[in-house]
Amino acid sequence: MTTGPNSTFHADAAGARATMVLRDRVDPWQVAALHATLGRPGPAPAEGEALPPLWHFILFREARPRAELGRDGHPKLGGFIPDFGLPRRMWAGGRLRFHAPLKLGQEATRTSTILDTALKDGRSGRLAFVTLLHRVEGPDGLAVEEEQDLVYREEHDPNGPPPPKAPDAPAGGEWMTEMTADPTLLFRYSALTFNGHRIHYDLAHATKTEGYGGLVVHGPMLAQLMADLARECSGRALAEFSFRGVSPVIHTQPFEVCGAPEGDGAKLWIRAPGGRLAMKGEARFA
């Protein structure tokens, strides 16, 4: 067992079922800072009010010392998540269920468990898939259940095959807003989530080491923008939300956050330049 200022990590005797517990406070200042960073309309939620869905992404940050970070700025593997020998990390998607609201000012706990790991050979080389289960609880009990999909990849090979062409995003969209993520937005989101991943703020690392066309817009931020669009345009609360990244959005590229109601929920997507699909999501309303 290892512990930090706000965390506990435990692996069972077989080492097969690791669990990490992180504790945090839903800080009204942090929520106001995220509200300002994303340019949300109206006043920020105040103490005692409900935290909007997916905004818990700014909570439960690991305060690791620099000596425990990998080359990419993320915590080194081999503790909670096994070390697969694959250095490049990507948050590929997730599925969330909302049971009760977290309120600003409350204390909260996130218990994380590794549900599954798998090694596969893909077009670009070896891949490791990790699925985590996060259970977020507040004073009123279970608030959020979240399954998070992570992918680990081999080093970027500049002479390797180009990435496959992304599919086209749906045309139109009953709901739509346009954005461009500049370096200031990426820096502020990284700071609020305490995300040290260098692809979001270190241009040389993103382009030369990782092979991207620029700084990469955070996948969870794109998911958060889709969830906010569904909630604000429908005027309804979310019961479930899922998303999957398809292709990266680069900081110099304007992109569109789109959606349309469907049945008791909505389809959402991120449309990148040229009509390329960057992310897709689905919401079910309460």
Side-chain angles (χ1 to χ4, degrees), residues 55 74 96 99 117 157 161 180 193 231 241 248 251-252 258 269:
W55 287 40
H74 268 296
L96 302 99
H99 298 278
T117 62
D157 180 2
T180 300
T193 56
R231 180 173 53 87
F241 184 80
H251 77 286
T252 55
C258 307
W269 60 94

Side-chain angles (χ1 to χ4, degrees), residues 56-57 91 95-96 132-134 144-148:
H56 71 283
F57 287 163
W91 186 338
R95 295 156 298 285
L96 302 99
L132 305 178
L133 172 63
H134 304 301
V144 183
E145 285 182 291
E146 175 187 358
E147 291 184 9
Q148 179 186 9

Side-chain angles (χ1 to χ4, degrees), residues 85-241:
L86 301 169
R88 300 171 66 207
R89 178 188 187 274
M90 180 176 66
W91 186 338
R95 295 156 298 285
L96 302 99
R97 293 177 292 277
F98 306 101
H99 298 278
L102 286 174
K103 295 180 181 178
L104 276 67
Q106 290 183 334
E107 301 293 325
T109 300
R110 188 186 77 180
T111 303
S112 302
T113 306
I114 296 178
L115 287 184
D116 188 43
T117 62
L119 287 168
K120 298 182 180 179
D121 289 320
R123 182 173 179 269
S124 59
R126 294 178 65 240
L127 301 169
F129 296 87
V130 178
T131 301
L132 305 178
L133 172 63
H134 304 301
R135 289 172 57 87
V136 179
E137 297 176 275
D140 300 323
L142 181 64
V144 183
E145 285 182 291
E146 175 187 358
E147 291 184 9
Q148 179 186 9
D149 298 325
L150 301 175
V151 179
Y152 295 87
R153 300 180 291 170
E154 293 181 336
E155 295 276 12
H156 168 65
D157 180 2
N159 299 314
K165 184 179 182 299
D168 291 335
E174 186 171 330
W175 310 326
M176 186 180 70
T177 184
E178 184 173 306
M179 288 188 66
T180 300
D182 61 22
T184 301
L185 172 59
L186 299 188
F187 163 77
R188 294 177 80 180
Y189 193 83
S190 288
L192 282 167
T193 56
F194 204 61
N195 180 355
H197 200 178
R198 292 168 64 186
I199 63 172
H200 304 305
Y201 62 87
D202 185 335
L203 185 60
H205 178 86
T207 56
K208 296 178 181 178
T209 303
E210 298 272 5
Y212 291 107
L215 299 176
V216 179
V217 181
H218 307 70
M221 180 168 67
L222 296 175
Q224 190 173 354
L225 292 171
M226 292 194 300
D228 285 350
L229 183 77
R231 180 173 53 87
E232 292 166 4
C233 290
S234 69
R236 301 176 65 182
L238 298 185
E240 296 180 0
F241 184 80

